[in-house]
Amino acid sequence: MPAMPALRCATFSFLAAFATPLALHAAWWLSTDRALAWSEADWSSARVLPAARAKPEALVHVYAARTGRWKGIFAHHTWIVIKEKGAGAYTRYDKVAWGLPVKTNNWAPDARWYGHRPVLVGSVEGRAAEALIPKVRAAVLRYPYGRYGDYAVWPGPNSNSFTAYVLGAIPEAGIALPPTAVGKDWRALLESISLTPSRTGIQLSLGGIIGLSIGWVEGLEVNLLGLVAGIDARRPAVKLPGFGRIGVNGRGDRTPARRLALRRALG
């Protein structure tokens, strides 16, 4: 292909897949979000989860909520919630920017984030969850970026890099983070080629700045500067920067080994 037509094709593809969706979402977000400061935002429970005693089975849940202010144009914050069978309380794990970055139970398990209501990304419950919980706890303990200063909002390691790391320890859960979980594709440069967190495909990531993922659970995703565009064949959908996943809204795979529920598309 001659140089100029190739350049025009590349420019059009970039505009169609990245720049245009992001600009449209930015316009909508800035016109609707209240853009509250940290101290003014609502961090209370959104009442998504019942009381722990009312849900006796074990569970592993992954949640996401839009981040605050201008960052909400691009990104969700994600976290992990677990509960052993018969336990009277949930345990929540997040990574944040201050102090020792990996936090345990700093907020209610289903708390709003900057006032934004969380959505359930994926879940495993019952006997399958009982088998996963020790793996989740072990992954949190061995997470290699949990020291003071081990946080970078972009390209990572950040909150979503942490969640992706833990999901990589439980690939049988079959949970894929939303495309707006900016930082989920961050990898150390020595780990630029790896399996996807679900172990159903291959991922190439150059420091989370540019990359490509192809997997049955994750779908096809192109990462450019932390923004993700792609498609999902397993549950037909397109993935767009800013908007997130747009497509099939419903339950994912069910097998005897896992129980995965996706309640809504993120965006």
Side-chain angles (χ1 to χ4, degrees), residues 62-163:
V62 176
Y63 288 94
R66 284 281 173 180
T67 58
R69 311 183 83 175
W70 62 268
K71 290 186 292 184
I73 296 171
F74 310 93
H76 279 82
H77 170 79
T78 61
W79 64 93
I80 298 173
V81 175
I82 62 174
K83 186 183 73 68
E84 285 85 354
K85 181 180 180 181
Y90 298 99
T91 301
R92 169 175 170 161
Y93 298 113
D94 298 72
K95 183 177 181 180
V96 293
W98 62 90
L100 284 172
V102 177
K103 305 295 185 184
T104 303
N105 293 332
N106 265 42
W107 300 272
D110 56 356
R112 296 172 176 85
W113 193 258
Y114 271 99
H116 303 132
R117 184 179 178 86
V119 294
L120 180 64
V121 175
S123 69
V124 180
E125 300 183 356
R127 294 183 64 183
E130 293 175 31
L132 296 184
I133 287 172
K135 297 180 182 181
V136 170
R137 292 193 184 277
V140 171
L141 288 175
R142 69 172 180 266
Y143 177 63
Y145 304 102
R147 299 180 296 273
Y148 288 99
D150 281 350
Y151 184 97
V153 65
W154 182 90
N158 61 17
S159 63
N160 299 318
S161 311
F162 167 73
T163 306

XYZ file of all heavy atoms in Angstrom, residues 62-163:
818
model
N -16.014 -9.127 41.849
C -15.197 -8.021 41.349
C -16.138 -6.876 40.987
O -17.114 -7.077 40.259
C -14.363 -8.438 40.125
C -13.593 -7.238 39.568
C -13.404 -9.561 40.498
N -15.837 -5.691 41.524
C -16.670 -4.511 41.284
C -15.873 -3.427 40.572
O -14.638 -3.390 40.629
C -17.198 -3.952 42.614
C -18.256 -4.819 43.242
C -17.914 -5.776 44.190
C -19.593 -4.702 42.871
C -18.876 -6.594 44.769
C -20.562 -5.507 43.430
C -20.196 -6.451 44.387
O -21.161 -7.267 44.936
N -16.607 -2.527 39.926
C -15.999 -1.373 39.265
C -16.919 -0.172 39.440
O -18.146 -0.306 39.440
C -15.783 -1.647 37.782
N -16.307 0.994 39.603
C -17.060 2.245 39.650
C -16.218 3.328 39.002
O -14.980 3.298 39.078
C -17.400 2.631 41.090
N -16.880 4.267 38.370
C -16.160 5.364 37.726
C -15.311 6.118 38.745
O -15.708 6.322 39.886
C -17.138 6.341 37.080
C -17.732 5.857 35.780
C -16.791 6.020 34.610
N -17.351 5.388 33.401
C -16.740 5.384 32.221
N -15.566 5.957 32.083
N -17.294 4.776 31.190
N -14.129 6.525 38.313
C -13.278 7.331 39.158
C -13.787 8.767 39.188
O -14.769 9.100 38.522
C -11.825 7.291 38.670
O -11.781 7.747 37.313
C -11.278 5.877 38.728
N -13.104 9.608 39.938
C -13.624 10.950 40.182
C -13.120 12.000 39.213
O -12.064 11.865 38.597
N -13.931 13.033 39.070
C -13.609 14.233 38.328
C -13.203 13.896 36.894
O -13.795 13.034 36.257
C -12.576 15.050 39.095
C -12.966 15.238 40.579
C -12.025 16.089 41.353
N -12.336 17.504 41.155
C -11.713 18.497 41.800
N -10.755 18.214 42.651
N -12.064 19.737 41.589
N -12.148 14.545 36.364
C -11.812 14.357 34.954
C -11.387 12.934 34.647
O -11.550 12.462 33.512
C -10.719 15.339 34.533
C -9.420 15.160 35.276
C -9.040 15.799 36.415
C -8.353 14.275 34.926
N -7.795 15.375 36.816
C -7.345 14.440 35.919
C -8.139 13.370 33.896
C -6.149 13.723 35.899
C -6.947 12.657 33.868
C -5.971 12.836 34.852
N -10.860 12.213 35.648
C -10.432 10.834 35.383
C -11.601 9.923 35.035
O -11.416 8.873 34.403
C -9.670 10.283 36.584
C -8.310 10.924 36.801
C -7.542 10.238 37.920
C -8.201 10.476 39.262
N -7.397 9.889 40.370
N -12.811 10.320 35.445
C -13.984 9.524 35.121
C -14.282 9.472 33.630
O -15.031 8.603 33.167
N -13.715 10.394 32.866
C -13.861 10.343 31.411
C -13.294 9.034 30.868
O -13.856 8.405 29.965
C -13.131 11.529 30.748
C -13.774 12.862 31.163
C -13.121 11.373 29.227
C -12.959 14.072 30.724
N -12.186 8.608 31.462
C -11.430 7.482 30.923
C -11.663 6.177 31.659
O -11.610 5.117 31.037
C -9.912 7.773 31.020
C -9.483 9.094 30.481
C -9.377 10.204 31.294
C -9.172 9.217 29.140
C -8.962 11.425 30.790
C -8.756 10.421 28.623
C -8.654 11.538 29.448
N -11.857 6.251 32.992
C -11.509 5.067 33.783
C -12.515 4.699 34.857
O -13.208 5.550 35.421
C -10.146 5.286 34.437
N -12.520 3.396 35.147
C -13.150 2.834 36.334
C -12.075 2.449 37.348
O -10.948 2.111 36.967
C -13.937 1.564 35.986
C -15.288 1.802 35.408
N -15.495 2.082 34.088
C -16.524 1.777 35.989
C -16.797 2.230 33.862
N -17.445 2.052 34.991
N -12.436 2.482 38.601
C -11.641 1.887 39.677
C -12.252 0.522 39.979
O -13.474 0.387 40.065
C -11.709 2.770 40.928
C -11.126 2.135 42.150
N -9.773 2.067 42.388
C -11.720 1.536 43.227
C -9.553 1.455 43.546
N -10.720 1.124 44.070
N -11.413 -0.512 40.122
C -11.918 -1.857 40.382
C -11.380 -2.384 41.698
O -10.312 -1.971 42.166
C -11.521 -2.828 39.249
O -10.092 -2.917 39.166
C -12.083 -2.371 37.916
N -12.128 -3.326 42.290
C -11.688 -3.957 43.526
C -12.292 -5.352 43.642
O -13.168 -5.733 42.872
C -12.032 -3.107 44.741
C -13.497 -2.895 45.016
C -14.299 -3.645 45.831
C -14.336 -1.836 44.515
N -15.576 -3.130 45.865
C -15.628 -2.024 45.069
C -14.119 -0.750 43.657
C -16.684 -1.163 44.787
C -15.176 0.099 43.376
C -16.441 -0.110 43.932
N -11.804 -6.088 44.636
C -12.202 -7.479 44.838
C -12.823 -7.637 46.213
O -12.326 -7.095 47.208
C -10.986 -8.417 44.706
C -10.399 -8.308 43.293
C -11.367 -9.864 44.998
C -9.102 -9.062 43.133
N -13.917 -8.379 46.277
C -14.604 -8.684 47.532
C -14.697 -10.199 47.667
O -15.077 -10.886 46.708
C -16.013 -8.061 47.569
C -16.769 -8.487 48.831
C -15.921 -6.537 47.499
N -14.357 -10.707 48.850
C -14.488 -12.145 49.109
C -15.260 -12.356 50.411
O -15.347 -11.459 51.249
C -13.118 -12.860 49.197
C -12.292 -12.300 50.358
C -12.371 -12.755 47.877
C -10.993 -13.053 50.610
N -15.826 -13.547 50.552
C -16.470 -13.938 51.803
C -16.466 -15.457 51.891
O -16.903 -16.138 50.961
C -17.908 -13.426 51.899
C -18.555 -13.693 53.265
C -19.998 -13.243 53.316
C -20.906 -14.168 52.531
N -21.008 -15.513 53.196
N -15.946 -15.973 53.013
C -15.984 -17.410 53.229
C -17.408 -17.874 53.535
O -18.262 -17.076 53.939
C -15.071 -17.807 54.396
C -13.592 -17.773 54.072
C -12.983 -16.403 54.242
O -13.739 -15.438 54.515
O -11.756 -16.274 54.100
N -17.647 -19.140 53.357
C -18.950 -19.727 53.659
C -19.310 -19.494 55.127
O -18.523 -19.790 56.030
C -18.941 -21.219 53.353
C -20.266 -21.915 53.612
C -20.190 -23.391 53.277
C -21.515 -24.093 53.536
N -21.433 -25.548 53.220
N -20.482 -18.914 55.369
C -20.965 -18.684 56.719
C -20.334 -17.515 57.432
O -20.682 -17.243 58.594
N -19.433 -16.786 56.795
C -18.767 -15.658 57.458
C -19.745 -14.522 57.704
O -20.693 -14.308 56.940
C -17.599 -15.175 56.617
N -19.473 -13.770 58.739
C -20.348 -12.659 59.101
C -19.937 -11.334 58.521
O -20.552 -10.301 58.837
N -18.899 -11.317 57.684
C -18.436 -10.063 57.089
C -17.756 -10.353 55.753
O -17.229 -11.442 55.522
C -17.466 -9.352 58.026
N -17.789 -9.341 54.894
C -17.068 -9.401 53.639
C -15.650 -8.846 53.843
O -15.398 -8.086 54.773
C -17.767 -8.545 52.576
C -19.174 -8.981 52.234
C -20.274 -8.349 52.799
C -19.396 -10.008 51.325
C -21.570 -8.724 52.479
C -20.690 -10.397 50.994
C -21.775 -9.757 51.576
O -23.045 -10.136 51.254
N -14.746 -9.215 52.940
C -13.400 -8.640 52.918
C -13.188 -7.994 51.560
O -13.405 -8.618 50.520
C -12.321 -9.710 53.150
O -12.541 -10.342 54.408
C -10.933 -9.086 53.149
N -12.757 -6.738 51.595
C -12.554 -5.983 50.357
C -11.079 -5.632 50.209
O -10.435 -5.179 51.152
C -13.393 -4.693 50.392
C -13.055 -3.702 49.276
C -13.987 -2.518 49.278
N -13.515 -1.485 48.371
C -14.271 -0.507 47.873
N -15.547 -0.438 48.205
N -13.753 0.400 47.066
N -10.560 -5.800 48.985
C -9.187 -5.450 48.667
C -9.156 -4.411 47.549
O -9.769 -4.605 46.498
C -8.402 -6.678 48.208
C -8.268 -7.770 49.241
C -8.904 -8.999 49.055
C -7.500 -7.594 50.389
C -8.773 -10.016 49.985
C -7.363 -8.609 51.337
C -8.005 -9.814 51.123
O -7.879 -10.824 52.042
N -8.429 -3.310 47.785
C -8.203 -2.261 46.782
C -6.718 -1.908 46.763
O -5.996 -2.168 47.721
C -8.908 -0.945 47.147
C -10.391 -1.006 47.240
O -10.899 -1.600 48.206
O -11.051 -0.412 46.386
N -6.334 -1.233 45.700
C -5.043 -0.548 45.675
C -5.295 0.921 45.396
O -6.068 1.268 44.493
C -4.116 -1.138 44.606
C -2.734 -0.487 44.624
C -1.779 -1.098 43.627
C -0.419 -0.419 43.731
N 0.559 -0.971 42.772
N -4.632 1.789 46.181
C -4.821 3.231 46.040
C -3.459 3.920 46.066
O -2.423 3.271 46.155
C -5.741 3.786 47.149
C -7.152 3.247 46.986
C -5.195 3.450 48.527
N -3.465 5.255 46.034
C -2.234 6.004 45.800
C -1.500 6.425 47.068
O -0.387 6.920 46.972
C -2.545 7.239 44.963
N -2.096 6.258 48.230
C -1.454 6.796 49.428
C -1.079 5.689 50.414
O -1.708 4.643 50.476
C -2.387 7.798 50.127
C -3.666 7.199 50.615
C -3.901 6.638 51.834
C -4.890 7.085 49.893
N -5.179 6.179 51.927
C -5.815 6.441 50.737
C -5.286 7.466 48.605
C -7.114 6.169 50.334
C -6.578 7.191 48.217
C -7.476 6.553 49.084
N -0.036 5.990 51.212
C 0.401 5.041 52.225
C 0.810 3.714 51.616
O 1.269 3.636 50.475
N 0.656 2.644 52.409
C 0.812 1.317 51.830
C -0.355 1.119 50.876
O -1.512 1.145 51.304
C 0.819 0.256 52.924
C 2.109 0.146 53.740
C 1.927 -0.803 54.913
C 3.267 -0.312 52.859
N -0.109 0.941 49.590
C -1.195 1.087 48.605
C -2.273 0.013 48.642
O -3.417 0.296 48.263
C -0.457 1.079 47.259
C 0.840 0.417 47.532
C 1.203 0.760 48.939
N -1.948 -1.204 49.065
C -2.968 -2.257 49.086
C -3.755 -2.127 50.395
O -3.205 -2.241 51.483
C -2.341 -3.658 48.957
C -3.422 -4.729 49.067
C -1.601 -3.776 47.629
N -5.042 -1.875 50.266
C -5.903 -1.623 51.421
C -6.885 -2.776 51.616
O -7.384 -3.355 50.643
C -6.700 -0.329 51.223
C -5.856 0.897 50.918
C -4.958 1.285 52.068
C -4.230 2.589 51.770
N -3.269 2.948 52.843
N -7.168 -3.069 52.870
C -8.148 -4.090 53.225
C -9.262 -3.438 54.029
O -9.001 -2.842 55.084
C -7.506 -5.215 54.056
O -6.425 -5.789 53.318
C -8.524 -6.300 54.379
N -10.474 -3.493 53.504
C -11.673 -3.006 54.201
C -11.601 -1.524 54.550
O -12.100 -1.093 55.589
C -11.932 -3.836 55.464
C -12.306 -5.268 55.151
O -12.865 -5.555 54.095
N -11.988 -6.168 56.065
N -11.014 -0.718 53.679
C -11.031 0.728 53.900
C -12.400 1.335 53.632
O -12.702 2.427 54.110
C -10.000 1.422 53.020
C -8.697 1.647 53.741
O -8.220 0.777 54.471
N -8.100 2.807 53.559
N -13.219 0.637 52.845
C -14.561 1.087 52.519
C -15.508 -0.098 52.621
O -15.073 -1.249 52.669
C -14.623 1.661 51.099
C -13.722 2.832 50.890
C -14.005 4.154 51.106
C -12.368 2.790 50.418
N -12.927 4.930 50.807
C -11.894 4.118 50.392
C -11.499 1.764 50.039
C -10.602 4.459 49.986
C -10.209 2.089 49.642
C -9.779 3.414 49.618
N -16.788 0.181 52.642
C -17.774 -0.896 52.586
C -17.542 -1.705 51.316
O -17.059 -1.175 50.304
C -19.187 -0.315 52.593
N -17.861 -3.002 51.322
C -17.570 -3.831 50.141
C -18.248 -3.341 48.872
O -17.727 -3.549 47.767
C -18.077 -5.214 50.550
C -19.023 -4.975 51.674
C -18.495 -3.783 52.393
N -19.398 -2.681 49.015
C -20.137 -2.172 47.851
C -20.266 -0.660 47.901
O -21.270 -0.093 47.465
C -21.520 -2.825 47.775
C -22.321 -2.635 49.056
O -21.785 -2.057 50.036
O -23.491 -3.067 49.099
N -19.239 0.005 48.407
C -19.297 1.459 48.558
C -19.248 2.171 47.207
O -18.671 1.668 46.232
C -18.140 1.941 49.430
N -19.841 3.341 47.177
C -19.699 4.218 46.021
C -18.247 4.694 45.938
O -17.547 4.765 46.945
C -20.642 5.415 46.136
C -22.116 5.038 46.123
C -22.989 6.227 46.443
N -24.404 5.899 46.350
C -25.126 5.342 47.331
N -24.535 5.061 48.495
N -26.410 5.079 47.164
N -17.847 5.034 44.727
C -16.498 5.564 44.519
C -16.640 6.950 43.915
O -17.180 7.089 42.829
C -15.695 4.640 43.595
C -14.230 4.941 43.584
C -13.530 5.614 42.621
C -13.275 4.576 44.586
N -12.214 5.694 42.961
C -12.026 5.065 44.169
C -13.369 3.893 45.808
C -10.853 4.887 44.925
C -12.221 3.713 46.551
C -10.979 4.202 46.110
N -16.223 7.958 44.654
C -16.464 9.343 44.262
C -17.951 9.601 44.011
O -18.332 10.372 43.133
C -15.677 9.713 43.004
C -14.287 10.244 43.279
C -13.177 9.424 43.166
C -14.084 11.573 43.660
C -11.905 9.901 43.405
C -12.819 12.057 43.901
C -11.723 11.222 43.771
O -10.465 11.699 44.009
N -18.792 8.905 44.747
C -20.233 9.062 44.590
C -20.838 8.216 43.500
O -22.063 8.199 43.342
N -20.038 7.491 42.748
C -20.534 6.700 41.632
C -20.855 5.287 42.092
O -20.038 4.627 42.749
C -19.509 6.669 40.500
C -19.139 8.031 40.015
N -17.840 8.440 39.828
C -19.919 9.091 39.690
C -17.827 9.683 39.399
N -19.080 10.102 39.306
N -22.006 4.820 41.714
C -22.491 3.498 42.135
C -21.670 2.386 41.484
O -21.442 2.405 40.273
C -23.962 3.354 41.739
C -24.634 2.054 42.200
C -26.097 2.057 41.774
N -26.750 0.815 42.146
C -27.310 0.581 43.328
N -27.265 1.527 44.252
N -27.893 -0.572 43.595
N -21.226 1.405 42.249
C -20.460 0.305 41.653
C -21.352 -0.661 40.893
O -22.550 -0.780 41.168
C -19.836 -0.379 42.879
C -20.813 -0.128 43.977
C -21.368 1.255 43.707
N -20.744 -1.348 39.946
C -21.427 -2.411 39.223
C -20.618 -3.694 39.381
O -19.397 -3.663 39.557
C -21.616 -2.080 37.727
C -22.550 -0.909 37.549
C -20.280 -1.814 37.063
N -21.307 -4.812 39.344
C -20.664 -6.101 39.463
C -20.072 -6.498 38.113
O -20.785 -6.654 37.128
C -21.673 -7.152 39.917
C -21.158 -8.580 40.097
C -20.129 -8.650 41.217
C -22.318 -9.521 40.384
N -18.758 -6.666 38.069
C -18.082 -7.077 36.844
C -18.200 -8.583 36.644
O -18.475 -9.069 35.549
C -16.598 -6.658 36.885
C -15.853 -7.185 35.672
C -16.475 -5.145 36.956
N -17.990 -9.344 37.708
C -18.070 -10.793 37.622
C -18.088 -11.402 39.000
O -17.652 -10.777 39.981
N -18.602 -12.616 39.111
C -18.706 -13.252 40.419
C -18.563 -14.756 40.303
O -18.926 -15.356 39.282
C -20.052 -12.913 41.084
O -21.116 -13.541 40.396
N -18.048 -15.347 41.351
C -18.030 -16.784 41.535
C -18.573 -17.036 42.931
O -18.147 -16.387 43.894
C -16.615 -17.373 41.402
C -16.634 -18.884 41.608
C -16.014 -17.024 40.051
N -19.537 -17.968 43.068
C -20.171 -18.211 44.356
C -20.276 -19.703 44.633
O -20.158 -20.536 43.724
C -21.550 -17.542 44.391
C -21.485 -16.039 44.195
C -22.849 -15.354 44.300
O -23.865 -16.059 44.451
O -22.882 -14.111 44.226
N -20.506 -20.029 45.900
C -20.689 -21.415 46.289
C -19.372 -22.154 46.433
O -18.345 -21.596 46.783
N -19.417 -23.460 46.127
C -18.245 -24.317 46.332
C -17.063 -23.881 45.470
O -15.895 -24.005 45.891
C -18.606 -25.763 46.044
C -19.604 -26.356 47.027
C -19.876 -27.823 46.758
N -18.660 -28.626 46.951
C -18.606 -29.937 46.732
N -19.678 -30.578 46.272
N -17.479 -30.600 46.934
N -17.334 -23.390 44.259
C -16.246 -22.907 43.409
C -15.521 -21.746 44.064
O -14.296 -21.650 44.011
C -16.792 -22.499 42.039
N -16.269 -20.845 44.702
C -15.649 -19.713 45.388
C -14.823 -20.165 46.587
O -13.769 -19.582 46.879
C -16.722 -18.715 45.823
N -15.285 -21.188 47.279
C -14.526 -21.700 48.420
C -13.123 -22.114 47.996
O -12.149 -21.923 48.745
C -15.257 -22.888 49.045
C -16.583 -22.539 49.711
C -17.313 -23.774 50.206
O -16.636 -24.767 50.583
O -18.559 -23.770 50.194
N -13.007 -22.674 46.797
C -11.699 -23.096 46.304
C -10.834 -21.914 45.872
O -9.597 -21.990 45.911
C -11.873 -24.060 45.138
N -11.473 -20.822 45.468
C -10.722 -19.672 44.961
C -10.229 -18.739 46.063
O -9.199 -18.070 45.896
C -11.593 -18.868 43.995
C -12.038 -19.558 42.716
C -12.818 -18.577 41.845
C -10.857 -20.119 41.951
N -10.948 -18.656 47.169
C -10.629 -17.663 48.193
C -9.201 -17.781 48.715
O -8.495 -16.766 48.839
C -11.669 -17.710 49.330
C -12.991 -17.097 48.826
C -11.171 -16.966 50.568
C -14.153 -17.260 49.781
N -8.687 -18.982 49.036
C -7.285 -19.055 49.467
C -6.311 -18.539 48.404
O -5.280 -17.941 48.734
C -7.080 -20.549 49.740
C -8.443 -21.084 49.993
C -9.357 -20.297 49.113
N -6.630 -18.739 47.136
C -5.768 -18.246 46.065
C -5.803 -16.723 46.000
O -4.768 -16.081 45.728
C -6.207 -18.839 44.727
C -6.093 -20.358 44.645
C -6.550 -20.855 43.279
C -6.495 -22.369 43.187
N -6.913 -22.863 41.853
N -6.977 -16.135 46.232
C -7.088 -14.681 46.249
C -6.241 -14.112 47.383
O -5.449 -13.180 47.195
C -8.554 -14.241 46.394
C -8.645 -12.739 46.653
C -9.346 -14.613 45.152
N -6.395 -14.661 48.575
C -5.637 -14.158 49.730
C -4.132 -14.297 49.497
O -3.356 -13.384 49.814
C -6.051 -14.910 50.990
C -7.476 -14.620 51.445
C -7.693 -15.136 52.859
N -9.061 -14.974 53.311
C -9.559 -13.853 53.828
N -8.788 -12.773 53.915
N -10.809 -13.795 54.247
N -3.702 -15.422 48.940
C -2.286 -15.632 48.677
C -1.759 -14.640 47.643
O -0.640 -14.116 47.772
C -2.044 -17.062 48.211
N -2.557 -14.351 46.602
C -2.136 -13.400 45.575
C -1.998 -11.999 46.140
O -1.059 -11.261 45.796
C -3.133 -13.413 44.415
N -2.918 -11.608 47.020
C -2.832 -10.285 47.651
C -1.543 -10.186 48.471
O -0.836 -9.169 48.433
C -4.064 -10.023 48.526
C -3.885 -8.744 49.355
C -5.324 -9.918 47.664
N -1.211 -11.234 49.197
C -0.017 -11.211 50.053
C 1.271 -11.152 49.235
O 2.245 -10.515 49.654
C -0.007 -12.440 50.962
C -1.026 -12.441 52.102
C -0.995 -13.773 52.849
C -0.755 -11.287 53.066
N 1.308 -11.815 48.094
C 2.551 -11.843 47.317
C 2.606 -10.763 46.231
O 3.594 -10.693 45.480
C 2.760 -13.213 46.686
C 1.805 -13.585 45.574
C 2.223 -14.876 44.873
N 1.303 -15.215 43.807
C 0.253 -16.026 43.937
N 0.013 -16.580 45.120
N -0.539 -16.273 42.913
N 1.597 -9.939 46.130
C 1.581 -8.878 45.120
C 2.878 -8.065 45.212
O 3.212 -7.537 46.271
C 0.358 -7.986 45.329
C 0.272 -6.818 44.383
C 0.141 -7.013 43.009
C 0.314 -5.508 44.856
C 0.066 -5.947 42.134
C 0.229 -4.434 43.991
C 0.110 -4.657 42.629
O 0.035 -3.599 41.759
N 3.623 -7.943 44.131
C 4.965 -7.362 44.218
C 5.033 -5.841 44.258
O 6.128 -5.290 44.404
C 5.646 -7.901 42.952
C 4.531 -8.115 41.982
C 3.350 -8.547 42.814
N 3.895 -5.157 44.139
C 3.918 -3.695 44.102
C 3.048 -3.122 45.218
O 2.172 -2.292 44.977
C 3.471 -3.193 42.728
C 4.297 -3.769 41.608
C 3.812 -4.814 40.829
C 5.580 -3.292 41.361
C 4.589 -5.365 39.808
C 6.359 -3.836 40.349
C 5.863 -4.878 39.588
O 6.639 -5.421 38.598
N 3.313 -3.583 46.429
C 2.517 -3.151 47.570
C 3.277 -2.291 48.559
O 2.789 -2.046 49.665
N 4.451 -1.789 48.178
C 5.245 -0.956 49.078
C 4.906 0.519 48.883
O 4.270 0.902 47.902
C 6.733 -1.191 48.832
C 7.190 -2.629 49.083
C 8.676 -2.788 48.811
N 8.977 -2.545 47.412
C 8.930 -3.476 46.463
N 8.587 -4.725 46.778
N 9.221 -3.179 45.217
N 5.363 1.346 49.828
C 5.187 2.785 49.698
C 5.759 3.250 48.360
O 6.878 2.896 47.987
C 5.902 3.520 50.833
C 5.236 3.368 52.179
C 5.712 2.437 53.097
C 4.141 4.159 52.527
C 5.109 2.295 54.337
C 3.531 4.019 53.762
C 4.006 3.088 54.663
O 3.405 2.945 55.877
N 4.971 4.033 47.641
C 5.415 4.562 46.354
C 5.171 3.650 45.174
O 5.438 4.052 44.025
N 4.676 2.438 45.415
C 4.427 1.492 44.323
C 3.078 1.751 43.670
O 2.263 0.842 43.508
C 4.480 0.050 44.834
C 5.887 -0.465 45.004
O 6.823 0.216 44.549
O 6.052 -1.542 45.600
N 2.845 2.988 43.291
C 1.580 3.340 42.628
C 1.863 4.422 41.605
O 2.552 5.410 41.888
C 0.545 3.849 43.634
C -0.810 4.144 43.006
C -1.829 3.206 43.049
C -1.056 5.352 42.353
C -3.071 3.462 42.469
C -2.287 5.615 41.761
C -3.293 4.667 41.829
O -4.503 4.916 41.237
N 1.330 4.239 40.416
C 1.383 5.265 39.373
C 0.027 5.278 38.695
O -0.417 4.250 38.169
C 2.486 4.970 38.358
N -0.643 6.416 38.720
C -1.998 6.475 38.161
C -1.992 6.082 36.687
O -2.957 5.492 36.188
C -2.601 7.879 38.382
C -1.853 8.952 37.614
C -4.086 7.878 38.035
N -0.892 6.401 35.977
C -0.734 6.018 34.576
C 0.730 5.830 34.267
O 1.550 6.615 34.740
C -1.324 7.095 33.652
C -1.234 6.723 32.202
C -2.152 6.031 31.463
C -0.148 7.006 31.304
N -1.714 5.862 30.168
C -0.482 6.458 30.048
C 1.076 7.664 31.439
C 0.355 6.558 28.943
C 1.924 7.749 30.351
C 1.556 7.206 29.112
N 1.096 4.803 33.538
C 0.239 3.715 33.021
C 0.004 2.598 34.040
O -0.784 1.715 33.804
C 1.060 3.208 31.834
C 2.484 3.419 32.250
C 2.482 4.709 33.029
N 0.680 2.640 35.168
C 0.566 1.643 36.207
C 1.926 1.445 36.863
O 2.914 2.077 36.451
N 1.966 0.651 37.897
C 0.894 -0.179 38.474
C -0.072 0.649 39.317
O 0.344 1.434 40.161
C 1.665 -1.180 39.353
C 2.912 -0.427 39.762
C 3.253 0.442 38.591
N -1.359 0.469 39.083
C -2.390 1.202 39.803
C -3.443 0.233 40.334
O -3.204 -0.962 40.445
C -2.998 2.290 38.913
C -3.658 1.725 37.663
O -3.949 0.526 37.565
N -3.918 2.585 36.696
N -4.611 0.756 40.663
C -5.659 -0.090 41.249
C -6.071 -1.216 40.311
O -6.316 -2.350 40.746
C -6.883 0.770 41.606
O -7.452 1.353 40.439
N -6.156 -0.920 39.026
C -6.607 -1.933 38.076
C -5.512 -2.943 37.747
O -5.805 -4.106 37.445
C -7.138 -1.248 36.815
C -8.319 -0.358 37.121
O -9.200 -0.723 37.889
N -8.344 0.833 36.544
N -4.246 -2.501 37.813
C -3.146 -3.458 37.669
C -3.205 -4.491 38.782
O -2.955 -5.685 38.562
C -1.798 -2.727 37.723
O -1.757 -1.610 36.880
N -3.521 -4.029 39.999
C -3.629 -4.924 41.156
C -4.755 -5.936 40.959
O -4.572 -7.146 41.162
C -3.873 -4.091 42.405
C -4.313 -4.882 43.604
C -3.418 -5.700 44.290
C -5.621 -4.815 44.057
C -3.820 -6.436 45.398
C -6.035 -5.537 45.159
C -5.127 -6.356 45.835
N -5.927 -5.472 40.565
C -7.057 -6.382 40.358
C -6.741 -7.400 39.269
O -7.048 -8.590 39.405
C -8.325 -5.603 40.002
O -8.572 -4.600 40.999
C -9.534 -6.516 39.916
